[in-house]
Amino acid sequence: MGMTSLFRSEDDAAPKADDRCAFLAGYSIEVMPRTAAKIEDFRALLPAGTRVYIAHIAGTPIDDMVATARRLTDEGFHPMPHFPARNIPDTGTLETWIRRYREEAGVEQALLLGGGSAEPAGMLDSSIAMIKTGLFDRYGFRRLHVAGHPEGNRDIDGDDGTAGTDAALRWKQAFSGETAASMAIVTQFAFDAKPVIAWSERIAAAGIRLPIHVGVAGPTKLQTLIKFAISCGVGPSLGILQKRALDFRKLLLPYEPTDFLNDLASYRAANTESLIEQVHVFPLGGIQASAEWMNEHTATARKMAL
């Protein structure tokens, strides 16, 4: 695609270039050990100092996770490994993981998740359970992120609203005042800015002050994206993809998050007190494609803002 394709032709629909630049700059991205192994040098792909989440899929050896974190640290990035509570058999294992990340890979950041398993492997069944161990503070973690679900989380609330997720966020908000670590919310990816914005305003009105890092799906084939969206429980904004799939011309083109990011950048610029802070990229079409797309559009916005 051309370098100017991020920008809409409608005069007031597109955000200003400096607003786009501010919103896209400093994006984070996600890898798995097996995908990271295919990248020869992350320094040729990502801006220096990028936060790189390391997804811990069930069955991935902790040795592979730590080795990936060590490599990212050595190459000048900030690794943030996932800690999926339901996949961790006991507190001793959690402490071993935390200690190894700190001592062997210099890790100071963690994404705390309930995990996708239907049944917990042990007593740790949620991110709150892991936080309550006190281990992340004891080992000097400086940043802790937790999950947010703008379109709901059926694993917690089913189809009955948002009471469980809301209560968990209130607990984490209170904890943020007790820990030395900085905290933020990273959301599941979505395709329509409206429910994300509405959710951010709703939780802010309820007293949540944690910054929001909005999950965005990187460019990929539409069929692939719909499959991921359904499996990950993406909510009403899935309709954006389904509508696109009905247009045969668009079905043949890769999905790109242009409109979604434009809408969020415009909103963020007009609402500077919003909890929405930055972008987190889920590279569903491959980390190289996602990183190149983000770098291209960040650079384009920067040039137009000069």
Side-chain angles (χ1 to χ4, degrees):
M1 65 185 294
M3 288 287 283
T4 59
S5 62
L6 180 63
F7 314 120
R8 300 177 182 175
S9 58
E10 299 89 342
D11 292 339
D12 295 327
K16 295 178 181 179
D18 53 353
D19 296 334
R20 285 187 293 266
C21 183
F23 187 58
L24 296 180
Y27 71 87
S28 57
I29 199 164
E30 188 166 294
V31 300
M32 294 181 289
R34 62 180 177 82
T35 54
K38 299 176 182 178
I39 303 299
E40 184 174 344
D41 189 342
F42 278 99
R43 289 167 291 195
L45 187 62
L46 298 173
T50 297
R51 178 178 297 118
V52 182
Y53 293 64
I54 309 174
H56 197 151
I57 307 302
T60 303
I62 187 61
D63 289 349
D64 293 354
M65 293 289 296
V66 173
T68 302
R70 176 73 263 172
R71 176 193 170 187
L72 287 165
T73 298
D74 290 345
E75 292 184 5
F77 301 99
H78 299 298
M80 177 177 269
H82 290 194
F83 283 81
R86 288 172 171 256
N87 295 341
I88 302 173
D90 50 51
T91 302
T93 300
L94 174 63
E95 181 166 12
T96 297
W97 289 13
I98 291 172
R99 186 184 69 251
R100 290 193 61 186
Y101 279 127
R102 288 290 290 124
E103 295 178 356
E104 299 177 32
V107 169
E108 299 179 326
Q109 309 185 29
L111 172 61
L112 310 183
L113 303 167
S117 301
E119 295 294 332
M123 296 298 293
L124 299 170
D125 62 353
S126 66
S127 57
I128 290 176
M130 291 191 293
I131 290 171
K132 285 181 175 179
T133 67
L135 290 168
F136 292 97
D137 279 331
R138 189 185 310 167
Y139 280 87
F141 272 61
R142 300 177 63 183
R143 178 170 283 275
L144 299 174
H145 286 188
V146 295
H149 302 275
E151 298 182 287
N153 185 340
R154 291 183 178 179
D155 289 342
I156 296 176
D157 290 312
D159 295 319
D160 299 327
T162 62
T165 50
D166 289 351
L169 278 180
R170 289 194 298 271
W171 190 95
K172 292 162 189 174
Q173 175 63 50
F175 173 75
S176 71
E178 303 172 8
T179 177
S182 298
M183 294 186 67
I185 301 167
V186 60
T187 76
Q188 177 61 276
F189 57 87
F191 309 105
D192 184 356
K194 294 183 184 68
V196 176
I197 290 168
W199 172 78
S200 74
E201 293 178 345
R202 183 176 68 78
I203 66 170
I208 304 301
R209 296 292 177 264
L210 301 177
I212 297 171
H213 296 192
V214 178
V216 56
T220 188
K221 294 178 181 179
L222 187 58
Q223 300 95 319
T224 301
L225 193 56
I226 291 174
K227 180 184 70 174
F228 273 114
I230 293 172
S231 66
C232 293
V234 170
S237 72
L238 177 60
I240 297 287
L241 298 186
Q242 293 170 328
K243 182 178 179 180
R244 180 187 176 103
L246 295 175
D247 187 330
F248 182 72
R249 295 165 300 174
K250 292 182 178 180
L251 183 61
L252 299 177
L253 297 173
Y255 165 85
E256 295 176 345
T258 308
D259 291 347
F260 182 61
L261 291 176
N262 273 340
D263 290 344
L264 288 172
S266 293
Y267 173 80
R268 181 69 181 85
N271 299 271
T272 56
E273 299 302 312
S274 171
L275 298 178
I276 294 174
E277 183 176 75
Q278 67 178 72
V279 174
H280 173 62
V281 181
F282 291 85
L284 305 180
I287 185 171
Q288 182 146 348
S290 289
E292 288 176 351
W293 195 94
M294 290 295 296
N295 295 342
E296 174 184 336
H297 290 88
T298 303
T300 302
R302 186 179 297 114
K303 289 177 183 177
M304 294 190 69
L306 296 176

